[in-house]
Amino acid sequence: MPDTMNVYIKHRFLLLLPVLLGITFFTFVLMQLPADDTVDMMYKASGAVSETVKAAARAELGLDRPLLVRYLDWLLAVCSGDMGRSYISGTPVTALFVAKLQPTLYLTALALLLTACISVPLGILAALRHNRCCDHLIRCCAFLGNSLPGFFIALLLLYCFALKLNFFTVLGGSGFGGLLLPALALAIPMSAKYIRHIRSNILEEINRDYVTGALVRGIPKATVFRRFILRSLGSTLITLFSLSVGSLLGGTAIIEMIFMIDGIGKMAMDAILMRDYPVVQAYVVWTALIFTCVNLVTDLLLHQLEPQARQFTKGGGW
């Protein structure tokens, strides 16, 4: 089985290469579609600038060369470990990216923690109180949280807890207090989705034959719930949280811009607006790698937890 697993992992990483090439090239082409390029954006606030000055700036940045040549130069540089320099600040893209990554990592970890603390207990409680007042109340709150846009939740939290109650600073806070509101703005809609999945999963397991058989044999309900039903919930939680990790680590641009968090998402938005191609390309590569690696780790974890996945592996499915 280890040999089969190694083959599967190598196969997934080999598939990553054409995906990365396609995504990066497609992004590179899309960045050229607007009429204004990086030089136009740089001199936009300076008023009237002659085309000669702009042409010299384009030649200095290499923007006067054909698109395919610039993409191949970038690709060769990336393969050698050089992500280039930002057209706007002149900072090495790798250093800029690492500096912006820390706030996003903290925000991701806190948002996932809050999501787990909210969704798991409420999802279990809704399933155990099926079709009772508590269940209906939790389902209504989940429906409301799933219906509201993320930016509206963020603005509502700012208005209530920052402007009215003065519990937090409005913008640009640092540390745990500065990240709590944006993390909560991310956790509320995610929790609303997870509550529904957790509730449905538990109700489905409760109605299975093996649960009925265990209860008939005299095994206490608490033991059956703890040893069998909750254990089956693990694969569902791993799948749900893996999808969220990829999205959050890719940068939550709207939330980061509302709360003025200097993270990956805000950096990507600023780079797109300023046509800062090297930064945008680095962000695209990062996002593709994150989703691929997270999905791979999730598959391996599910393979260890689910007997069906292990049987599929033995049968040569991988």
Side-chain angles (χ1 to χ4, degrees):
M1 188 179 302
D3 293 337
T4 308
M5 186 72 70
N6 291 334
V7 171
Y8 172 71
I9 294 174
K10 292 178 181 178
H11 178 68
R12 288 290 296 267
F13 277 107
L14 286 177
L15 288 178
L16 176 61
L17 295 178
V19 171
L20 280 178
L21 289 175
I23 291 175
T24 54
F25 181 73
F26 187 64
T27 307
F28 212 91
V29 172
L30 287 179
M31 290 298 295
Q32 317 300 318
L33 294 181
D36 297 335
D37 60 6
T38 306
V39 175
D40 292 323
M41 300 302 296
M42 289 170 58
Y43 288 108
K44 199 168 188 179
S46 302
V49 178
S50 66
E51 290 298 326
T52 304
V53 174
K54 291 184 178 181
R58 291 189 179 95
E60 183 178 355
L61 295 175
L63 296 176
D64 56 340
R65 294 178 299 166
L67 172 65
L68 185 59
V69 173
R70 282 187 283 136
Y71 175 74
L72 292 176
D73 288 343
W74 173 85
L75 188 61
L76 292 174
V78 169
C79 293
S80 63
D82 181 15
M83 298 293 292
R85 289 180 173 271
S86 169
Y87 287 164
I88 305 301
S89 64
T91 307
V93 173
T94 304
L96 180 64
F97 201 85
V98 170
K100 307 293 185 182
L101 184 59
Q102 182 175 340
T104 299
L105 289 176
Y106 289 157
L107 181 61
T108 297
L110 187 55
L112 290 176
L113 178 62
L114 291 175
T115 301
C117 292
I118 296 172
S119 62
V120 175
L122 291 181
I124 294 174
L125 182 61
L128 295 180
R129 298 292 185 267
H130 179 53
N131 283 338
R132 299 181 185 177
C133 293
C134 184
D135 179 30
H136 292 312
L137 179 61
I138 293 174
R139 290 170 64 188
C140 288
C141 293
F143 178 78
L144 183 63
N146 197 29
S147 303
L148 296 176
F151 72 89
F152 179 79
I153 295 176
L155 295 176
L156 189 62
L157 291 174
L158 275 175
Y159 178 78
C160 294
F161 293 101
L163 291 179
K164 290 298 182 181
L165 300 177
N166 292 321
F167 287 165
F168 304 95
T169 57
V170 177
L171 299 174
S174 59
F176 177 80
L179 292 177
L180 185 56
L181 277 187
L184 191 58
L186 294 170
I188 289 175
M190 288 195 301
S191 298
K193 297 176 184 177
Y194 291 1
I195 287 171
R196 298 169 63 186
H197 284 287
I198 293 171
R199 176 183 177 276
S200 300
N201 183 269
I202 292 179
L203 289 177
E204 182 180 351
E205 291 296 321
I206 288 176
N207 294 322
R208 290 188 182 275
D209 293 337
Y210 78 90
V211 175
T212 304
L215 294 175
V216 169
R217 292 184 182 92
I219 301 176
K221 290 184 178 180
T223 303
V224 174
F225 185 80
R226 185 178 64 254
R227 295 187 59 182
F228 300 106
I229 297 177
L230 284 184
R231 186 175 180 179
S232 69
L233 189 62
S235 59
T236 300
L237 292 178
I238 289 175
T239 304
L240 292 174
F241 277 96
S242 65
L243 296 174
S244 298
V245 167
S247 301
L248 293 173
L249 287 178
T252 52
I254 295 178
I255 299 299
E256 289 182 3
M257 295 194 74
I258 289 176
F259 289 93
M260 295 302 293
I261 298 174
D262 199 14
I264 295 295
K266 185 175 182 299
M267 178 201 71
M269 289 297 298
D270 293 339
I272 292 172
L273 293 176
M274 295 299 296
R275 316 289 190 267
D276 199 349
Y277 305 137
V279 177
V280 174
Q281 290 296 101
Y283 172 75
V284 169
V285 172
W286 162 259
T287 305
L289 285 173
I290 282 297
F291 272 98
T292 303
C293 293
V294 168
N295 288 338
L296 176 60
V297 172
T298 302
D299 288 345
L300 298 180
L301 288 175
L302 292 177
H303 164 77
Q304 296 298 324
L305 290 176
E306 294 185 352
Q308 297 89 342
R310 289 197 292 270
Q311 185 64 36
F312 181 61
T313 305
K314 292 177 181 178
W318 279 356

